[in-house]
């Protein structure tokens, strides 16, 4: 069996595993990587971009190398290759956990328990929950669902289609490093610069595919396309912009505006100014859209991998 079919079967099995099982409760590979990256940081940290770039190269490069070695070891066995791809896909995607956390917060808000929703919000995103009312929490959840659909599902599938298991684990490693050190705090402004830039580059194709699929699957293709075209470039993140704008247009809501992270207030542009304010019921709509986008991304990446194999066969 060729590498194209290995990816097709393995990615489908891994995504099904995530759908049925969610993330492992203990010993999650991403958590293991995070602890290892933290240990490397303690050795290498300097308030310097060069040392930060070295940290990024050691951690992300190490993850890719482990994936490449594992893929090479199992290559003689088709069953083992599919199983490894399935395990890697299951480990790096997080669509089910994303949906579960969003729905948990949504249920608390529907029950009128704003304090419970505030307590749960840090499990999903880094906003300051005490500064948010029910509608503000709902908006934060919808924005997080949109962004993490790209980061936790679509981007990984794109790089899996490109590079197999090394692509899957490498993308997740880069995304995790960005979450750990890529923010603009005093400690990481310079040290985390390389991780943040690498995450921007790695996330670029997945974010655009997410935006395309959200436009196609969201029920208001014209509104999603309009919001993407008009507002995406105004977002400070080159990848979150297209994703959040297309979700906003597809759902018919406004996203963005004033945000608070760790006591720091940011005034971001409003995305889809023609939409209405986010309501609690929009959390479930965003989760359903995220699910559709993830399944469509699997189909697109598998089809692209098979098509690339077919073109290569015709030219060889």
């Amino acid at each position: 069996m060729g590498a194209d079919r290995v990816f097709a079967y393995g990615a489908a099995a891994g995504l099904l595993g995530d759908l049925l099982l969610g993330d492992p409760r203990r010993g999650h590979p991403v958590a293991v990587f995070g602890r290892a990256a933290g240990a490397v940081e303690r050795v290498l940290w300097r308030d310097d971009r060069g040392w930060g770039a070295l940290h990024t190269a050691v951690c992300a490069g190490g993850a890719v190398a482990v994936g490449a070695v594992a893929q090479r070891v199992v290559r003689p066995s088709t069953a083992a290759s599919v199983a490894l791809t399935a395990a890697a896909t299951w480990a790096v995607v997080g669509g089910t956990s994303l949906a579960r956390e969003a729905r948990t917060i949504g249920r608390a808000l529907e029950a009128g328990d704003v304090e419970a929703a505030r307590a749960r919000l840090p499990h999903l995103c880094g906003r300051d929950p005490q500064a948010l009312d029910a509608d503000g929490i709902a908006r934060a959840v919808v924005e997080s669902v949109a962004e993490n659909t790209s980061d936790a599902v679509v981007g990984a599938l794109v790089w899996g289609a490109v590079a197999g298991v090394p692509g899957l684990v490498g993308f997740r490693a880069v995304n995790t490093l960005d979450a750990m050190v890529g923010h603009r705090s005093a400690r990481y402004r310079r040290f985390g610069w390389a991780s943040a830039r690498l995450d921007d580059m790695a996330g670029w194709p997945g974010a655009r595919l997410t935006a395309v699929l959200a436009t196609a699957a969201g029920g208001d293709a014209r509104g999603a396309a309009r919001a993407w075209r008009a507002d995406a470039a105004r977002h400070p993140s080159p990848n979150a912009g297209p994703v959040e704008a297309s979700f906003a247009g597809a759902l018919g809501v406004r996203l963005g505006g004033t945000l608070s992270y760790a006591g720091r207030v940011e005034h971001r542009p409003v995305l889809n100014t023609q939409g209405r304010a986010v309501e609690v019921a929009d959390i479930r709509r965003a989760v359903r859209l995220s699910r559709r986008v993830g399944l469509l991304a699997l189909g697109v990446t598998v089809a692209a991998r098979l098509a690339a194999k077919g073109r290569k066969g015709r030219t060889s």
Side-chain angles (χ1 to χ4, degrees):
M1 183 186 297
D4 54 335
R5 295 186 181 275
V6 167
F7 171 74
Y9 295 142
L15 209 61
L16 179 62
D18 176 65
L19 181 64
L20 296 176
L21 304 173
D23 290 335
R25 297 294 184 184
R26 296 182 179 179
H28 195 297
V30 175
V32 173
F33 171 81
R35 289 193 292 271
V40 174
E41 178 191 337
R42 287 191 289 273
V43 173
L44 295 181
W45 188 89
R46 307 286 190 281
D47 191 17
D48 180 83
R49 285 186 176 186
W51 284 94
L54 178 60
H55 173 258
T56 301
V58 169
C59 296
V64 171
V66 169
V69 169
Q71 183 170 269
R72 185 176 184 86
V73 167
V74 302
R75 185 171 296 165
S77 169
T78 296
S81 296
V82 171
L84 177 65
T85 303
T89 303
W90 173 61
V92 304
V93 301
T96 294
S97 293
L98 173 65
R100 182 187 299 128
E101 292 294 341
R103 284 172 174 154
T104 297
I105 297 170
R107 285 193 295 270
L109 292 175
E110 289 166 359
D113 194 346
V114 178
E115 286 304 316
R118 286 181 178 138
R120 197 70 188 179
L121 186 63
H123 292 259
L124 189 64
C125 62
R127 307 284 175 86
D128 292 334
Q130 296 306 319
L132 300 173
D133 59 10
D135 289 342
I137 293 171
R139 176 166 64 87
V141 171
V142 171
E143 290 172 352
S144 184
V145 167
E147 185 173 0
N148 282 292
T149 300
S150 176
D151 288 344
V153 182
V154 180
L157 292 173
V158 167
W159 283 103
V162 171
V165 172
L168 287 164
V169 298
F171 176 80
R172 188 62 167 167
V174 169
N175 191 249
T176 303
L177 285 174
D178 178 61
M180 293 177 66
V181 305
H183 37 90
R184 297 181 179 179
S185 65
R187 176 178 175 85
Y188 294 122
R189 187 178 301 274
R190 282 182 282 271
F191 185 81
W193 177 86
S195 290
R197 297 292 78 74
L198 183 59
D199 183 67
D200 286 344
M201 290 186 289
W204 195 96
R208 273 72 194 169
L209 178 58
T210 302
V212 168
L213 297 178
T215 299
D220 185 359
R222 181 174 296 179
R226 181 182 60 245
W228 181 6
R229 182 175 59 253
D231 299 328
R234 301 168 59 214
H235 196 286
S237 168
N239 294 330
V243 172
E244 291 187 19
S246 62
F247 263 70
L251 297 171
V253 301
R254 298 191 304 272
L255 299 179
T258 301
L259 314 174
S260 178
Y261 290 93
R264 186 180 73 255
V265 175
E266 295 184 15
H267 300 285
R268 293 184 179 177
V270 174
L271 307 177
N272 191 36
T273 55
Q274 299 181 22
R276 56 174 174 77
V278 175
E279 301 171 353
V280 173
D282 293 314
I283 292 176
R284 293 184 181 273
R285 297 177 63 224
V287 168
R288 289 195 294 269
L289 178 56
S290 175
R291 283 291 195 199
R292 292 195 296 271
V293 168
L295 291 173
L296 286 170
L298 174 65
V300 169
T301 53
V302 166
R305 183 68 186 256
L306 293 172
K309 176 67 174 180
R311 286 194 300 270
K312 183 178 179 181
R314 288 194 299 270
T315 58
S316 60

